Amino acid sequence: MPAPSNLLKSMANDAKKQAAMRKQAVHGFPRLSSTSKALILLPVLLLGFIYLIVYPKEFELQALMSSCGQPPAGTYTAAANGSSPLSTTVHAFARKPDFRLLIGILTRADFYERRHLLRMVYGLQLASPDLAAQIDVRFVFCRLYKDDQRVLIPLEILTHGDIIVLDACEENLNGGKTHTFFNAAASLYADAPYDYVMKADDDIMFRLPELVASLGAMPRQDMYYGATIPCGSMDPSKGYMSGMGYALSWDLVEWLAGAEEVTKGRIVGTEDKMTGEWLRLGGKGKNRFNAKPAMYDYPLPVPIDSCSHAFVPDTIAVHRLKDNPRWAHALGYFNFTAGLKSSKFYKFDA
């Protein structure tokens, strides 16, 4: 049996332990050392830093990532959605566009180089934040008939999504292609109609800001716009609009699609003349507007008619750009390369 003195010491120690346990139960955990406090506070401070500094930046990062590839404020872009080039995802304007214009460039499947050039010419202009209209440019040709076309054209569609292939025509401009294009446009875009539809050649250069300013003043109904033919005439009530490029309001496009009593037997022929004939017979296109002299043919050294004249500053369109030297002359005159910045990667002699 333990000695009395040892028993007393043991009881005293037990009492101290019980008192310490009661104190801990009342006051929580035992007091921490400075090192322990630092180890606990460090993760807390780190979490606070992440919340206050990094977390708000997450929203900025998300905004930055979502804006990549988006057009500048006030511009329009369209990207192919799925296998059809005609099914598009439209990125919204910063404000509602003044009007919507479809430009159908009637060309041939084999003209790959020309389409490449036109994509650059119109792509630069469509990127402008000051363009007030929504403009879609589409390349239009008839059914494909070569094996290489059946591979290369789908490749273009996958890359650019800006091609319309018309099944109901053969590749002949004056063989009914224009009529087929207007019919197709009325059907393809019935759910999201444009204000205007323009037929254009592939050898014409439109200055889109000037075209938008001109078309913006036009009526939205029963409207026929272009450069009056014959060349010497400035009266749009006579003759017809040159096939270089002319626009119809959407109601006329819809009307043409169902006007068999007017178009039947009058589809094959000089296409721009036939369009004028359809409108005359149907009593349509009463709102006619002549864009000359701002729309004209390339300035030949010896002009063959008054449709050809020197470049003018307020030009809307130049036609008959049949080769690259003519394109370079026109693009140089209107300073299309003004945005080019100096770089160590290229140097051009003056």
Side-chain angles (χ1 to χ4, degrees):
M1 186 166 179
S5 59
N6 291 337
L7 181 60
L8 291 174
K9 288 180 180 180
S10 176
M11 292 174 65
N13 289 334
D14 291 340
K16 288 180 180 180
K17 289 180 181 180
Q18 291 175 2
M21 292 177 64
R22 285 194 299 271
K23 184 177 181 180
Q24 178 177 335
V26 173
H27 297 289
F29 292 104
R31 296 184 64 180
L32 300 175
S33 66
S34 298
T35 303
S36 300
K37 290 179 180 178
L39 289 174
I40 293 174
L41 286 175
L42 184 60
V44 175
L45 291 174
L46 182 60
L47 289 173
F49 174 83
I50 293 173
Y51 181 82
L52 295 174
I53 305 301
V54 178
Y55 188 75
K57 295 295 182 184
E58 180 186 354
F59 293 102
E60 296 179 18
L61 180 61
Q62 289 175 351
L64 178 63
M65 294 299 291
S66 64
S67 67
C68 290
Q70 300 290 333
T75 64
Y76 168 83
T77 61
N81 177 20
S83 60
S84 170
L86 304 174
S87 180
T88 60
T89 299
V90 178
H91 303 302
F93 273 71
R95 63 181 179 82
K96 185 178 180 181
D98 293 344
F99 61 87
R100 301 177 67 240
L101 167 66
L102 172 67
I103 300 178
I105 300 176
L106 273 58
T107 184
R108 300 177 72 90
D110 288 335
F111 291 0
Y112 301 101
E113 181 186 358
R114 179 57 56 84
R115 288 195 292 279
H116 173 66
L117 173 61
L118 290 170
R119 285 186 181 111
M120 291 190 293
V121 169
Y122 292 124
L124 284 172
Q125 298 182 79
L126 288 170
S128 170
D130 299 323
L131 202 62
Q134 174 187 323
I135 300 178
D136 287 349
V137 178
R138 297 289 181 263
F139 297 99
V140 182
F141 33 82
C142 294
R143 63 172 62 93
L144 308 179
Y145 61 95
K146 295 180 181 178
D147 289 339
D148 61 317
Q149 293 173 351
R150 295 189 183 100
V151 175
L152 298 180
I153 297 306
L155 192 64
E156 272 191 87
I157 291 172
L158 288 170
T159 304
H160 301 289
D162 58 2
I163 288 174
I164 299 175
V165 180
L166 304 173
D167 290 332
C169 69
E170 298 295 335
E171 198 57 78
N172 185 334
L173 183 59
N174 293 322
K177 183 176 180 179
T178 296
H179 181 266
T180 304
F181 165 62
F182 283 129
N183 272 2
S187 173
L188 294 170
Y189 300 105
D191 294 335
Y194 290 86
D195 294 294
Y196 306 115
V197 177
M198 172 171 277
K199 175 265 168 187
D201 288 345
D202 63 6
D203 63 346
I204 188 172
M205 178 192 75
F206 280 101
R207 299 174 71 208
L208 295 184
E210 286 70 22
L211 176 63
V212 166
S214 180
L215 275 178
M218 300 294 108
R220 302 290 192 265
Q221 298 288 321
D222 203 28
M223 199 280 301
Y224 183 31
Y225 172 99
T228 303
I229 295 294
C231 292
S233 173
M234 294 293 287
D235 184 357
S237 66
K238 299 176 181 178
Y240 53 91
M241 302 301 176
S242 168
M244 68 170 78
Y246 56 88
L248 301 177
S249 55
W250 181 257
D251 61 303
L252 291 183
V253 175
E254 286 188 313
W255 171 76
L256 273 177
E260 291 187 11
E261 71 283 358
V262 169
T263 61
K264 187 176 181 179
R266 299 184 181 89
I267 292 177
V268 177
T270 305
E271 63 88 17
D272 48 4
K273 186 176 182 180
M274 297 308 299
T275 300
E277 184 73 0
W278 300 331
L279 297 177
R280 186 187 66 79
L281 292 173
K284 299 291 185 177
K286 293 184 173 62
N287 295 317
R288 299 182 175 218
F289 295 89
N290 174 33
K292 294 191 304 188
M295 288 179 66
Y296 54 93
D297 287 343
Y298 179 82
L300 299 173
V302 181
I304 58 176
D305 54 43
S306 57
C307 284
S308 172
H309 59 74
F311 294 133
V312 293
D314 61 349
T315 292
I316 293 174
V318 181
H319 183 224
R320 296 195 182 280
L321 302 177
K322 296 296 186 182
D323 51 40
N324 286 346
R326 288 190 181 187
W327 274 98
H329 185 198
L331 294 170
Y333 178 87
F334 295 109
N335 206 14
F336 266 66
T337 58
L340 187 69
K341 294 179 171 53
S342 60
S343 171
K344 66 180 181 179
F345 295 106
Y346 50 75
K347 182 178 181 181
F348 300 102
D349 296 331

